[in-house]
Amino acid sequence: MSTATPLLAPWDRLPAEVSIYTVAELRLQWLTLLQRQGGEGDTVELDGSAVEQFDAAGAQSLLSLAHALGARGQRLQLSHASTTLAEACRVLGLGDLIVSTAGEA
């Protein structure tokens, strides 16, 4: 059984825009967090409910974070994915990052 470790606020929730215009700032936040956080838990969870804009740069950034976590023996999961985020991940072949939220609003 896996144990999800939520990222510490304010980085536990993706912002409304995860795009070429925001990924540099997000990357710095995630790098800081990865340096502070040990390898607790095997899954790191990000809430994607607020995402309204998501592009290829955002996808690349999430894949980079997933890769960095993988190198530490952890896995990235996106929970409560907005329709925008879920559809983009599905189209880009990243659906395995999304935690099923069936039955949730």
Side-chain angles (χ1 to χ4, degrees), residues 46-90:
L46 277 175
D47 183 326
S49 62
V51 176
E52 296 173 5
Q53 295 179 11
F54 187 78
D55 65 10
Q60 184 179 13
S61 181
L62 285 178
L63 282 173
S64 179
L65 177 60
H67 180 58
L69 289 168
R72 295 163 45 131
Q74 295 176 295
R75 181 173 184 267
L76 175 64
Q77 285 188 336
L78 304 174
S79 65
H80 312 289
S82 67
T83 302
T84 299
L85 179 60
E87 180 64 15
C89 285
R90 185 190 65 75

Side-chain angles (χ1 to χ4, degrees), residues 3-9 11-12 33 37 40 43-47:
T3 305
T5 302
L7 292 174
L8 302 174
W11 305 299
D12 62 344
L33 177 69
Q37 182 186 32
E40 306 104 27
T43 303
V44 174
E45 186 174 321
L46 277 175
D47 183 326

Side-chain angles (χ1 to χ4, degrees), residues 23-45:
V23 294
E25 182 180 333
L26 286 171
R27 181 180 180 275
L28 290 175
Q29 291 175 352
W30 292 339
L31 286 174
T32 299
L33 177 69
L34 288 171
Q35 289 173 353
R36 285 191 333 192
Q37 182 186 32
E40 306 104 27
D42 56 0
T43 303
V44 174
E45 186 174 321

